[in-house]
Amino acid sequence: MAPDVTTEEVFRLARAMTLKNALANLPHGGAKSAIIADPMTADKEALMREFALSIRTLTEYIPGPDMGTDERCMAYIYDEIGRAVGLPTVLGGLPLDQLGMTGFGLAIAADVVSERFNFPLTGARIVVQGFGNVGRAAAKFLKERGAKLIATCDSKGGLYNPKGIDVLALTSVKESGSCVSESGLGRPCERHEILDIESDIFIPAARPDVITEDNQNILRTRVILEGANIPITHAAAGILQERGIILIPDIIANSGGVICAATEYQGQTEQVAFDRVRATVTENTQELLERLQIEKQPPHETALQMAKERISAAMSYRAHM
Ligand code: NAD
C-alpha cells in the first residue's frame, strides 16, 4: 500500500517474488498486488476487506503482508476469503513483521559479509532508509551484533545521531504514530539527507528505484543490503560494485519474509522459520560472494543467474514445456 505505486512497479515486484522464492527453493511467487493509498491515513480495514473480495476467485493467489500492510490487514483478508499468510499468532499465524523476519535475514547476510571480508559488525555505522517493519528489525538485529544505527528516515523526514539512535525507543515513537524526525532521539533532517551520511552499512528499506545511476555517487558506504524490493537499479549496482562497495541483492538479502510466509503455510513453527531464514540467507549470500569473485559481473546479474538456474531446474520436471 503506497500513494504512488504504479502498475509497472507491481509487474516488476511480481517478477522479484518469483526469483526470490526460487532462490529460497520455494514453489511460490509470480504475483504481487498493490493498493494506491496512504498507509498513514487510509481506512485500512475497509480497504483490505474490499481488496479481499476483489481477489476472491483468484484461488492460487495467497496474499502476504508487505509495505504499508501488516498482520491485522492479513487477518481482515483471511476473515473475508479464508486465505492469507503473515497472520496474527491468535489466528495460528507467524506474524512475520512482528517477528522481524526480513530484518533478521538482512542481519544474517551482514554476518556472512562480516566473516568473509573480516568486516567487524561491532561499532559498524548503519544507515537505514525507511524505519518500517523491515528497517527497524534490521536495525534491532544489527544492534544485537554491536552495530549502531546513526541515521534513518520515514516518508515524512529523517533523523541523524552519530552516537547511535536508540532503536527500541524509536520503535515506540513510530508505534505511537509519530514520525522519526519528531522523536527527539537525534537531529531531525530531510528524508533524502540521510543518503549522503557516511556509513559502513546502508540498508534501503523503503521504495523501489531510490538509487539510480544519477544519484549513486552520493552513497558513502562499504556494504549495501537491499531490504526493499528493487531499490537500486542494475546499472547503479554495477557502478557501486566498481567503486568497491559490496552489495547483496534483494532476492537474496530480504527473503526472510517469503520464507516465513511459506513456513506458516506449511503449518510449521516460528523456530523452524528462523532456522530456515538463517540457513537459506547464509547459503545464498555465500554462493553469491563466491561466484562474484570468479564471474566478475554486477551482483544483480549473478543473483538473477542463480535464481534462473533454479527455476530452469524446477521447470525441467514439467510436462509439455
Ligand atoms: P513499511 O510500510 O513497514 O515501512 C516502510 C517505511 O518506509 C516507512 O517508515 C515509510 O514511512 C518509509 N517510506 C515510505 N516512502 C518513503 C520514501 N519515499 N522515502 C523514505 N522513506 C519512505 O514497509 P516494510 O514492510 O518495511 O517494507 C519496506 C520495503 O521492504 C518495501 O520495498 C517492501 O516491498 C520490502 N520488503 C518487505 C518485506 C517484509 O517482510 N515486510 C519483505 C521483503 C521486502
Side-chain angles (χ1 to χ4, degrees):
M1 185 185 293
D4 55 351
V5 60
T6 64
T7 307
E8 198 215 322
E9 186 181 326
V10 178
F11 282 138
R12 291 169 62 212
L13 290 169
R15 181 168 180 272
M17 292 300 282
T18 304
L19 301 169
K20 196 187 301 188
N21 276 279
L23 279 171
N25 294 323
L26 295 168
H28 303 298
K32 197 82 179 179
S33 50
I35 297 172
I36 301 173
D38 183 345
M40 299 276 278
T41 53
D43 178 351
K44 283 194 183 173
E45 178 169 352
L47 281 175
M48 296 321 295
R49 289 189 186 278
E50 202 180 325
F51 169 75
L53 294 178
S54 74
I55 59 160
R56 182 194 284 275
T57 56
L58 301 175
T59 52
E60 285 192 331
Y61 184 77
I62 306 154
D66 203 330
M67 192 160 167
T69 59
D70 57 12
E71 54 272 4
R72 288 184 70 84
C73 296
M74 296 308 113
Y76 299 138
I77 297 178
Y78 188 78
D79 185 41
E80 294 291 337
I81 61 171
R83 59 175 203 279
V85 285
L87 292 167
T89 316
V90 286
L91 295 182
L94 298 177
L96 57 95
D97 284 328
Q98 211 174 299
L99 296 168
M101 278 296 173
T102 303
F104 174 69
L106 290 167
I108 295 293
D111 287 340
V112 176
V113 172
S114 164
E115 201 178 307
R116 188 174 179 97
F117 296 98
N118 206 9
F119 170 89
L121 292 179
T122 310
R125 296 160 302 165
I126 316 289
V127 170
V128 172
Q129 184 196 37
F131 197 72
N133 288 313
V134 173
R136 69 180 76 147
K140 179 189 126 197
F141 286 110
L142 285 166
K143 187 168 184 271
E144 285 172 8
R145 288 155 169 79
K148 62 176 177 178
L149 177 70
I150 59 160
T152 190
C153 73
D154 54 29
S155 58
K156 309 284 183 234
L159 182 73
Y160 174 55
N161 186 344
K163 293 195 182 120
I165 297 165
D166 184 336
V167 175
L168 282 184
L170 189 58
T171 301
S172 304
V173 168
K174 284 296 288 175
E175 279 166 0
S176 72
S178 294
C179 306
V180 296
S181 55
E182 296 164 351
S183 65
L185 295 166
R187 180 172 69 75
C189 59
E190 294 296 320
R191 70 178 191 208
H192 65 85
E193 285 183 83
I194 66 153
L195 294 180
D196 52 17
I197 291 172
E198 191 177 346
S199 65
D200 298 301
I201 302 181
F202 171 62
I203 300 179
R207 303 285 287 120
D209 298 329
V210 289
I211 304 296
T212 65
E213 268 174 293
D214 296 335
N215 71 352
Q216 56 71 32
N217 59 321
I218 60 173
L219 289 183
R220 287 178 296 145
T221 193
R222 295 167 70 189
V223 177
I224 298 175
L225 307 172
E226 289 188 329
N229 290 313
I230 51 174
I232 299 179
T233 64
H234 286 217
I239 302 172
L240 290 163
Q241 186 190 40
E242 280 164 20
R243 288 177 49 201
I245 297 171
I246 299 158
L247 186 152
I248 310 299
D250 51 1
I251 55 176
I252 290 181
N254 76 17
S255 59
V258 296
I259 295 169
C260 184
T263 307
E264 174 181 331
Y265 189 63
Q266 292 161 0
Q268 299 279 356
T269 63
E270 189 179 307
Q271 190 55 49
V272 171
F274 274 108
D275 290 346
R276 280 187 181 169
V277 173
R278 182 183 292 105
T280 308
V281 175
T282 301
E283 257 172 51
N284 283 335
T285 309
Q286 281 171 342
E287 182 178 336
L288 173 90
L289 294 174
E290 271 156 33
R291 287 173 67 150
L292 279 176
Q293 209 167 14
I294 301 160
E295 290 164 11
K296 307 263 183 253
Q297 61 177 355
H300 284 156
E301 298 303 321
T302 301
L304 188 63
Q305 211 169 301
M306 284 166 63
K308 281 187 175 171
E309 284 165 14
R310 293 187 204 178
I311 292 169
S312 299
M315 293 302 275
S316 71
Y317 297 106
R318 300 284 304 268
H320 315 300
M321 292 307 294

